[in-house]
Amino acid sequence: LEVTAAEALESLEVEVDLRHSYVGDLVLTLLPPAGASATPIVLQQRRGGAQRDLRTTFEVSRVPALARLVGTSPRGTWR
């Protein structure tokens, strides 16, 4: 995802809508732009067991590592 806005982030949420037969297989990682932090943030690490599909929103209360991006510029390529 390419982001062109440069204003500092006040908050951050990652919305996910994935189709998968076994959510417990999934590891989801957010890689912010290099200028913000090149360290990947793990959003989900093989949780959910045999549940099918994943529709959720990851926010700071659930993934505290997202807080380190608050105050940084979102400009760049997010993966």
Side-chain angles (χ1 to χ4, degrees):
L1 174 68
E2 186 68 32
V3 176
T4 58
E7 297 81 24
L9 293 171
E10 293 180 14
S11 64
L12 180 63
E13 294 181 348
V14 180
E15 188 174 315
V16 174
D17 186 353
L18 294 172
R19 292 179 188 224
H20 195 278
S21 61
Y22 194 86
V23 173
D25 288 340
L26 301 176
V27 175
L28 300 178
T29 305
L30 176 68
L31 184 59
S37 169
T39 306
I41 296 173
V42 176
L43 302 174
Q44 165 135 339
Q45 179 90 22
R46 302 186 190 278
R47 290 182 309 223
Q51 176 184 344
R52 293 182 59 88
D53 305 332
L54 180 62
R55 290 179 189 92
T56 192
T57 301
F58 296 99
E59 49 196 25
V60 172
S61 63
R62 209 167 138 197
V63 183
L66 290 171
R68 75 170 192 242
L69 298 174
V70 173
T72 66
S73 169
R75 181 176 285 172
T77 303
W78 292 73
R79 293 184 251 149

